[in-house]
Every structure is written in C-alpha cells, then in structure tokens.
Amino acid sequence: MSLSEITVSNLRCIEHAELHLPAGLTLIHGGNGSGKTSLLEGMFILGRGRSFRTRNSARLIRRGQAHMRVTGLVSRSEAEAVRVGFEVSRAGTTARVGGRPAETLAELSQVLAVQVIEPGIHRLVEEGGYRRRRWLDWAVFHVEPQFVDLWLRYTRVLKQRNAALKTQAATVGVWDADLARLGESITAARRRLMERLQPYWHTAVTALSGLEVELHYVRGWGQEHTLAEALAASRATDELRRQTHAGPHRADIAVRLHGRAARDVLSRGQQKLVAVAMTVAQLRLLQDVMEITPTLLLDDPAAELDGERLQRFIDEVATLRCQLVVTSLHSESQLFGAPESTFHMDAGRVLPI
C-alpha cells in the first residue's frame, strides 16, 4: 500500500500541484513558506479526511477560491490501485473512494494508512486527551474494523442523550442502556489494542528516549463501576451541566514517567521523542499484525532535536518498512538515505529538478 500519485488544487498556498511518488523515499525541499507542509497536509487528508494542522476545514481553502480538492492513486499491489479524493467547499466536505461517494471518512483510512511526524507532534504528550484518543482509535480501527461502526453508533446515541439533557431531562434514561453497551465495547477494543501495543511501545520509547515512560489507558469513568452505573451516578451532574460526563468519549492515554505526568517533567525535545515513539510503536504493530505498509510523512524531522536525539530518531524511522515522504529546507538532505524522487517547492508551486 503506497500513495503513487497525488493532485492538489487550491490547498492553502498551492494553486495546483501534481506528483508521482515512489514506494520508497521522497524528498520535498524548499524555503520556509514554500508550501512543503501544505503538500504533506494534502497527503494526510487523503487518508484521514482531515488536516493535522487545523480542525477547521474551511481554512484549508486557498484564498479567494470556492473549494479545495485533493485526489490520489493508492497502489495496493502491482495489479491493483484505488483512486481516492477529498474536497472541501463552503458547503462542507465530500470524499470519494474508487469512483463512488464514501459513506464515512473511515473508508479513506481503509485505502491509505498514513501517519505524520511534524514539529508539533509533542502536543500528543503535552495537550489534553483529544489528540491521544485520535491516535489510539486510528490503530484500533485498523486492527478491529468493526470499531468504526461501534464509534459512530455510540456518537449518535451520545448526541441524543446530550440533546435530551438540554431539552427533556426526564427522558435521558432512555439512552443509557445503548450508551453503556456501546461504550463498554469501545473500551474493550481500545484496551485490547493497548495490550498488544505495549511491547512495541517499550522497545520504541527506550530506543528513542532512554526513558521509562509508561502508557496507560484511562477509560473515562471510575474503575469501581460499570458504565451503566457511572451514568446513573452522574445523572444529577449531567442534568446540571447538560452534558454526559462518563464514557469513552472522555477517555485518555496517561503518559507517565515515574508516576508523574510526562508533560510536567519532560523537556520539549523529550516530549517530541516520546510522541515519535508512540507513532513508531503504532506503525510497527500494524505492520506485524495487519501486514500494512503505511505512508509516513516527516515534516522537517530535524526540528528541535540535537545531534544525539536526531540520530536516535533517524535510526528508529529507518527500520520502518514504509513509504517515506520527507520535507527539508535543503536539497542535499539525506537523513534517511538517498531519495528515490526529489521535488522542489517555491511559492506553492512544484518546480522541476
């Protein structure tokens, strides 16, 4: 599985760009503001239906334009390829897989397994649980495909319960049984993934940081109760605040060093290495368990890492069996070896080499 072609139109500073990519290493170089990161953003969007830089899709549209569009060809084998596309307009977003509208954005991930390591990856450790839940759920989806259906059904019931809390509090209990059943299933799937991830995690975090950092799944309600019991116990609080407080939508992955939150004791560079270890461990698990060959996007990989830390980073990424797309300020960059293909970007345009 690799991204062999991509066409980007009206994405941030990029008016139009077309690239043919090898299954191995690609280098995209250019100055600051040239559009390198936006090009990676387009590749990420093809596999996720969202950006890694913003949660507001309208910001992706080039100034003065009505829509943004990204299309690509994903090679699954020498004989099989699937065309995918994603478009953002002022009216909303649409996705297509194999020439037909996608029912959910998860269909994009089924075709293209893509991850990114970028200068802001430390936020995976530093910020709240939203990013870590997304990180975890992406892997759970690949290992247990039925997880997407569980999550969509849970989200629908959660919205209905929250709506009832705002308008008809007396009917809230109608939704509790379904919410509890789906929530427990989601939690069980996440826990299974975390258990399978642990050996990959310990290997990656030791090699990258040398620190004994631990990952623990925190399910989103107290350990002493079932979710049904937790929903009943929090009913008064939920009615007061008009929001459901217990459930896997409030789960987190605790990142701890010697019992303390990692974000409180690690430097920015250490946080970055721990976050990279989370990503590397995840990709190795998918390779071994699902035989997936992912696409890994590396945006300015040398940022904020000194010589020793950068070398650890290079050594770990080099062992991954995946398609690599790397950006750099320098055309001669060979952090991960000689690229099979090189592109130069300037002012949002891909220039011939």
Side-chain angles (χ1 to χ4, degrees):
M1 182 187 296
S2 63
L3 181 62
S4 56
E5 299 177 15
I6 184 170
T7 301
V8 178
S9 300
N10 297 324
L11 172 58
R12 298 195 188 268
C13 68
I14 302 174
E15 179 179 1
H16 184 79
E18 295 183 30
L19 289 82
H20 292 263
L21 304 170
L25 174 62
T26 295
L27 173 66
I28 302 171
H29 69 90
N32 290 323
S34 62
K36 305 185 304 296
T37 300
S38 297
L39 196 53
L40 292 192
E41 197 173 15
M43 297 176 190
F44 188 84
I45 286 169
L46 274 182
R48 299 295 191 92
R50 65 176 180 85
S51 166
F52 60 81
R53 300 168 72 186
T54 180
R55 294 168 68 175
N56 185 348
S57 295
R59 294 179 181 175
L60 301 172
I61 302 173
R62 187 167 171 261
R63 194 172 191 179
Q65 300 302 309
H67 68 272
M68 176 282 294
R69 182 181 296 121
V70 184
T71 61
L73 190 68
V74 179
S75 298
R76 288 180 159 179
S77 66
E78 292 184 4
E80 182 185 7
V82 179
R83 188 162 295 279
V84 294
F86 187 79
E87 181 174 308
V88 179
S89 68
R90 305 300 177 188
T93 63
T94 57
R96 298 184 70 83
V97 175
R100 61 170 181 79
E103 293 184 9
T104 70
L105 295 180
E107 290 186 43
L108 295 174
S109 287
Q110 288 178 323
V111 176
L112 179 62
V114 60
Q115 263 291 15
V116 63
I117 295 174
E118 42 86 29
I121 195 173
H122 67 276
R123 294 194 294 268
L124 189 58
V125 174
E126 186 179 63
E127 295 185 356
Y130 172 79
R131 290 178 182 273
R132 291 185 289 275
R133 285 193 299 273
R134 275 196 174 274
W135 165 83
L136 175 61
D137 287 348
W138 181 76
V140 179
F141 160 72
H142 281 288
V143 175
E144 301 192 26
Q146 74 277 9
F147 180 79
V148 170
D149 180 62
L150 280 173
W151 181 252
L152 291 174
R153 289 160 60 198
Y154 176 85
T155 301
R156 283 195 293 267
V157 176
L158 178 64
K159 288 180 179 178
Q160 290 166 325
R161 189 179 193 271
N162 284 340
L165 285 166
K166 293 178 174 65
T167 60
Q168 294 178 302
T171 68
V172 167
V174 171
W175 308 108
D176 285 7
D178 282 346
L179 197 71
R181 176 177 52 82
L182 293 167
E184 295 280 9
S185 296
I186 287 168
T187 297
R190 284 173 168 174
R191 279 181 164 165
R192 286 193 294 270
L193 191 285
M194 287 298 293
E195 289 173 3
R196 299 178 83 169
L197 183 71
Q198 290 300 324
Y200 298 93
W201 160 249
H202 289 301
T203 298
V205 76
T206 300
L208 278 159
S209 72
L211 300 171
E212 297 178 1
V213 180
E214 298 180 345
L215 294 184
H216 300 286
Y217 180 64
V218 181
R219 65 182 186 173
W221 72 94
Q223 297 298 317
E224 65 278 10
H225 298 297
T226 65
L227 181 51
E229 292 169 342
L231 289 169
S234 65
R235 174 72 67 82
T237 301
D238 290 352
E239 290 180 3
L240 179 64
R241 300 182 182 178
R242 298 184 177 186
Q243 190 173 18
T244 302
H245 288 80
H249 61 288
R250 297 179 65 85
D252 200 353
I253 295 87
V255 187
R256 296 188 172 277
L257 178 63
H258 305 313
R260 297 182 62 187
R263 63 173 172 264
D264 294 336
V265 295
L266 299 184
S267 68
R268 177 68 59 83
Q270 288 173 320
Q271 288 181 23
K272 179 171 182 175
L273 288 176
V274 169
V276 169
M278 292 171 70
T279 303
V280 168
Q282 190 181 67
L283 293 178
R284 284 189 175 141
L285 170 67
L286 294 185
Q287 287 174 331
D288 287 355
V289 173
M290 304 304 296
E291 298 184 352
I292 290 174
T293 302
T295 296
L296 178 58
L297 313 175
L298 301 177
D299 190 21
D300 193 12
E304 298 186 31
L305 294 178
D306 58 28
E308 180 185 354
R309 288 174 177 167
L310 178 59
Q311 190 58 54
R312 289 184 177 193
F313 176 90
I314 293 169
D315 291 344
E316 281 300 290
V317 171
T319 64
L320 292 171
R321 307 181 304 277
C322 62
Q323 181 182 32
L324 280 180
V325 184
V326 183
T327 68
S328 176
L329 295 171
H330 311 291
S331 60
E332 67 277 9
S333 176
Q334 293 195 11
L335 291 178
F336 303 95
E340 298 174 38
S341 188
T342 301
F343 299 94
H344 178 213
M345 291 208 70
D346 183 51
R349 296 174 297 152
V350 178
L351 302 178
I353 300 299

